[in-house]
């Protein structure tokens, strides 16, 4: 969540939502959360575990359709 | 019983020495939906807010304050919107205890300073975004 919330401050385009998985089992099921942390970007790009900043950025750009 | 230990309080006060702009924590509750969790969430937020006069708290009811909920894009409880000089789009669903607690404190600090700790390369790339980006981060308390 740390990188996500800093990105939200850096760009008006970015929103960051932390979700406590055990309190929202319906969401966890819908997004197939098997391990945490799990990050889902624009419901398109998802990954488990913590990524370094350049890789996290790559996922954001991919989800935004700006890069591959 | 308080959530925060004296050690938590010391660490949070230390982190809050960086605060600049006022921060508002907008809490959404709904007693019919998740009474215990909402009460815990409100208590945690109030204990944190008590550690700095730059932090204010507003508690809203998801079922009653529907326009405000729609404005913040919040549809579940318990929830928190962290607002600094403006709304940066930072939200917490669920009680931010355990692992999420340090993220809540970090969110308050970065919303207050408006200065994200990101590389120049990341900032430039984000400034060039032409589409909205919604990042959801699932975690558990431990």
């Amino acid at each position: 969540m740390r990188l996500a919330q800093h990105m939200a401050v850096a760009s008006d385009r970015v929103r960051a939502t932390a979700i406590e998985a055990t309190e929202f089992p319906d969401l966890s099921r819908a997004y197939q959360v098997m391990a945490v942390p799990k990050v889902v970007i624009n419901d398109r790009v998802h990954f488990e575990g913590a990524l370094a900043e350049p890789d996290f950025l790559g996922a954001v750009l991919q989800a935004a359709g700006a890069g591959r | 019983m308080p959530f925060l230990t004296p050690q938590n309080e010391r660490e949070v006060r230390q982190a809050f020495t960086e605060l600049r702009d006022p921060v508002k924590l907008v809490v959404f509750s709904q007693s019919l939906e998740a009474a215990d969790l909402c009460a815990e969430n409100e208590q945690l937020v109030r204990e944190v807010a008590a550690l700095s006069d730059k932090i204010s708290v507003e508690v809203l009811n998801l079922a009653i304050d529907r326009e405000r909920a729609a404005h913040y894009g919040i549809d579940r409880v318990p929830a928190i919107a962290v607002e600094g000089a403006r709304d940066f789009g930072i939200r917490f669903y669920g009680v931010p205890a355990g692992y999420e607690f340090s993220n809540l404190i970090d969110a308050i600090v970065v919303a207050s300073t408006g200065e994200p700790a990101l590389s120049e390369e990341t900032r430039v790339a984000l400034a060039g975004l032409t589409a909205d980006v919604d990042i959801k981060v699932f975690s558990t308390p431990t």
Side-chain angles (χ1 to χ4, degrees), chain A residues 1-4 17-22 28 31-41 45-52 56, chain B residues 92 99-100 102-103 135-142:
Chain A
M1 182 61 183
R2 196 187 151 280
L3 275 173
T17 304
I19 301 165
E20 210 287 276
T22 54
S28 299
Y31 288 97
Q32 301 181 320
V33 178
M34 307 294 179
V36 291
K38 172 155 183 170
V39 177
V40 181
I41 309 174
V45 175
H46 30 100
F47 56 87
E48 287 170 358
L51 288 190
F56 199 113
Chain B
F92 286 82
Y99 177 78
E100 280 302 312
S102 60
N103 286 328
I135 307 176
K136 295 182 181 73
V137 182
F138 290 87
S139 69
T140 52
T142 49

Side-chain angles (χ1 to χ4, degrees), chain B residues 10-38:
Chain B
R10 276 195 299 278
E11 288 166 1
V12 173
R13 280 185 202 278
Q14 177 60 35
F16 284 173
T17 58
E18 292 179 47
L19 297 183
R20 191 187 68 192
D21 297 335
V23 170
K24 184 159 80 167
L25 301 173
V26 184
V27 175
F28 283 85
S29 294
Q30 189 178 3
S31 50
L32 290 176
E33 196 64 36
D36 292 349
L37 289 174
C38 288

Side-chain angles (χ1 to χ4, degrees), chain A residues 1-24 26-28 31 33 36-43 53 56-57 60-61 64, chain B residues 37 72-73 76-78 86 88-95 100 103 106-107 110 114-119 121-122 125-126 129-141:
Chain A
M1 182 61 183
R2 196 187 151 280
L3 275 173
Q5 61 201 22
H6 282 248
M7 288 181 175
V9 172
S11 169
D12 286 341
R13 289 282 192 183
V14 180
R15 290 172 56 96
T17 304
I19 301 165
E20 210 287 276
T22 54
E23 288 177 35
F24 300 96
D26 57 327
L27 282 177
S28 299
Y31 288 97
V33 178
V36 291
K38 172 155 183 170
V39 177
V40 181
I41 309 174
N42 284 4
D43 294 354
E53 187 177 320
F56 199 113
L57 175 66
V60 166
L61 296 179
Chain B
L37 289 174
Y72 288 107
R76 289 158 193 276
V77 293
R86 54 200 168 80
F88 296 107
I90 301 174
R91 309 284 184 264
F92 286 82
Y93 280 118
V95 184
E100 280 302 312
N103 286 328
D106 179 69
V110 72
E115 291 172 15
L118 297 168
S119 72
E121 186 193 359
T122 301
L126 294 174
L129 284 174
T130 54
D132 290 338
V133 174
D134 168 65
I135 307 176
K136 295 182 181 73
V137 182
F138 290 87
S139 69
T140 52

Side-chain angles (χ1 to χ4, degrees), chain B residues 45-106:
Chain B
V45 166
R46 289 190 195 285
E47 287 183 26
V48 167
L51 300 177
S52 169
D53 56 13
K54 291 191 173 163
I55 304 175
S56 61
V57 177
E58 182 178 19
V59 177
L60 300 174
N61 185 304
L62 183 68
I64 296 167
D65 303 299
R66 289 183 193 166
E67 281 185 23
R68 299 288 303 282
H71 168 77
Y72 288 107
I74 282 174
D75 56 4
R76 289 158 193 276
V77 293
I80 306 166
V82 181
E83 271 190 307
R86 54 200 168 80
D87 181 11
F88 296 107
I90 301 174
R91 309 284 184 264
F92 286 82
Y93 280 118
V95 184
Y99 177 78
E100 280 302 312
F101 181 72
S102 60
N103 286 328
L104 174 67
I105 302 306
D106 179 69

